[in-house]
Amino acid sequence: MAEVGRRDACRALTAVAGALALTLLGTAAAHGGPPAAPGRTGARAAPGHWTGSWEAAASGTAAPLPGASIRNVVRTSVGGTAVRVRVSNRLGTLPLVLGAATLARQRPNAPKSPTAVSGTMRALTFGGRKKVTVPAGRDVVSDPLPLNVPAAANLLVTLHTPGDSGPATYHRDALQTNFLALDGNRAAEVSGAGYEATTTSWYYVTGVDVLRPQAPGSVVALGDSLTDGSGSTPNANRRWPDRLAERLRALPAGRRQGVLNAGVAGNRLLREGRGPSASARFEADVLSRTGVRTLIVMEGVNDIKGTPNQTDPAAFVAAYRELVRRAHARGIRVVGATITPFGGHGGHTAARERVRRAVNRLILGGGVFDAVADFDAVVRDPSRPDRLRAAYDPGDHLHFNDAGMRALADSVDLSDLAVPRT
């Protein structure tokens, strides 16, 4: 099987910088109201509350795949009785034409399989149509699809791109095997036999919502590679937001919030890195998501260690305050995470360590966020506080292995989240 080549995410950003300011198609749907362009087939979802169950933030663009079917594997955090899917051409420069789109459950306990569970394959529609054209710089949300979707289940979201639609909006580092059939429309193929190539990126699909009888809402984790999952086991869903979702699923039904991972490897708080800055993508990746009650912000290490690097702690606080202001305007509670150690990494210096500690003191001092998750204290080596504990270090002295990811998630005080009381 062949790994699809990647294009540097930043190439297309200049040409589409204005796209992030565009109003997303289906914004009303994203906030829990009626979806954009409701289907004409007569099939309507039962009454309930829409909740975000999965997210992948657009991180850049890749080469288009004309004539291909792309089978994305996504994992729900919470389940429901109906589902809808967000498709993004946000960073594209040409209209995205989709000839078909389907959704099915992946064969259980087979994360590297393109095979669907028999009887679960469904066509996705957009305004009642099976084909859709997504303008450059925009998203669309599918019509509600009545289907029982379990929590913690892998779904197959397959898109057929019949022609060359230009640069493909994607999430580069999925840590998940996804599948390609390069010879035509195989979107409805249950066996997956035609999917002979793989990719470790998610193409075009950036969100899944589910319909639930309760309305506890969702939590967004905004961050960089530490949130995106770098260092954790691929195909195992062991990123720290995955573990947080597991903890929330142990609560009573009315308190089980969805968890949306808005991490982008290489992302920065204050300027573009890999993909738009946290501020530039805030509307698309946080505010427009469905039923968001709480935001957890874990951003800043790439600003400290990157080139050019930020040396003024006050600049971090000003950026954090602006994110909090925008979140509060939508009624979203914000938890700030301290910046974790990276001593021993190639980007670490004594001067950068001083900046990291100064920023963390300002975060911990209060007055910036509604609550604080002290991730630094959780993962640092007590004898060498500029470094990670060896038990949490996958070897690069920056990211976290599965144990480190679990430690971060387990340290989040659930009472700091806007979880409804029962």
Side-chain angles (χ1 to χ4, degrees):
M1 290 189 175
E3 174 72 16
V4 172
R6 295 166 176 167
R7 180 176 297 175
D8 182 77
C10 295
R11 291 181 188 172
L13 292 175
T14 301
V16 297
L20 292 173
L22 294 175
T23 301
L24 297 174
L25 290 179
T27 297
H31 287 287
R40 304 173 192 170
T41 61
R44 292 185 176 273
H49 304 272
W50 287 103
T51 299
S53 185
W54 175 86
E55 175 181 355
S59 67
T61 59
L65 297 167
S69 295
I70 308 161
R71 182 154 284 184
N72 299 280
V73 180
V74 307
R75 186 172 180 83
T76 60
S77 58
V78 290
T81 58
V83 63
R84 63 191 184 195
V85 174
R86 180 182 296 216
V87 177
S88 181
N89 191 23
R90 192 183 316 146
L91 302 181
T93 56
L94 298 174
L96 166 64
V97 178
L98 297 181
T102 63
L103 181 141
R105 288 181 59 188
Q106 186 185 40
R107 189 175 69 186
N109 303 314
K112 297 182 181 181
S113 170
T115 303
V117 173
S118 178
T120 66
M121 182 67 70
R122 301 287 191 278
L124 292 172
T125 60
F126 302 83
R129 301 180 182 91
K130 293 184 179 181
K131 298 181 180 180
V132 66
T133 298
V134 188
R138 306 294 289 271
D139 289 0
V140 295
V141 178
S142 74
D143 300 329
L145 175 65
L147 180 69
N148 285 323
V149 176
N154 282 1
L155 303 180
L156 303 175
V157 181
T158 307
L159 306 174
H160 172 54
T161 52
D164 186 344
S165 294
T169 296
Y170 81 152
H171 182 92
R172 193 187 74 165
D173 298 318
L175 288 174
Q176 173 65 56
T177 299
N178 302 294
F179 306 95
L180 301 171
L182 302 175
D183 59 349
N185 184 0
R186 294 179 178 269
E189 185 178 278
V190 174
S191 70
Y195 290 84
E196 297 181 345
T198 63
T199 174
T200 54
S201 300
W202 285 305
Y203 279 74
Y204 301 117
V205 178
T206 59
V208 171
D209 299 337
V210 295
L211 190 68
R212 310 175 67 199
Q214 304 89 7
S218 56
V219 179
V220 174
L222 180 70
D224 46 43
S225 59
L226 305 180
T227 298
D228 207 6
S230 299
S232 65
T233 301
N235 294 303
N237 299 295
R238 292 177 182 168
R239 312 163 192 86
W240 72 261
D242 296 322
R243 169 58 183 164
L244 179 60
E246 182 182 343
R247 291 184 63 203
L248 288 168
R249 284 195 297 271
L251 296 177
R255 300 182 63 200
R256 295 173 191 162
Q257 291 184 305
V259 177
L260 306 179
N261 189 333
V264 172
N267 198 227
R268 297 178 68 151
L269 175 68
L270 298 165
R271 63 171 65 229
E272 289 184 358
R274 181 174 294 143
S277 69
S279 178
R281 65 190 184 92
F282 198 68
E283 174 70 34
D285 294 339
V286 179
L287 300 183
S288 76
R289 299 294 164 160
T290 304
V292 179
R293 298 284 187 86
T294 307
L295 167 66
I296 302 176
V297 177
M298 187 189 186
E299 287 267 15
V301 69
N302 289 322
D303 297 86
I304 295 173
K305 72 176 185 63
T307 303
N309 64 303
Q310 177 57 250
T311 60
D312 181 9
F316 289 82
V317 172
Y320 291 143
R321 289 189 186 279
E322 177 60 15
L323 297 185
V324 171
R325 183 195 67 77
R326 293 169 67 184
H328 282 179
R330 301 289 185 89
I332 298 170
R333 180 175 173 82
V334 187
V335 178
T338 50
I339 300 173
T340 51
F342 60 105
H345 184 270
H348 187 266
T349 66
R352 292 174 178 182
E353 178 65 16
R354 287 193 291 272
V355 174
R356 185 184 75 86
R357 295 191 188 196
V359 172
N360 282 349
R361 284 194 295 271
L362 292 170
I363 293 173
L364 291 167
V368 180
F369 297 103
D370 298 308
V372 172
D374 194 357
F375 285 176
D376 172 41
V378 173
V379 299
R380 70 185 179 223
D381 185 336
S383 63
R384 301 187 68 181
D386 64 331
R387 290 177 175 258
L388 298 176
R389 292 175 181 263
Y392 298 155
D393 188 347
D396 65 4
H397 312 302
L398 171 65
H399 299 102
F400 311 110
N401 58 21
D402 295 351
M405 293 286 185
R406 187 180 185 91
L408 290 180
D410 286 351
S411 73
V412 174
D413 188 342
L414 298 186
S415 67
D416 287 336
L417 309 182
V419 178
R421 298 295 177 185
T422 56

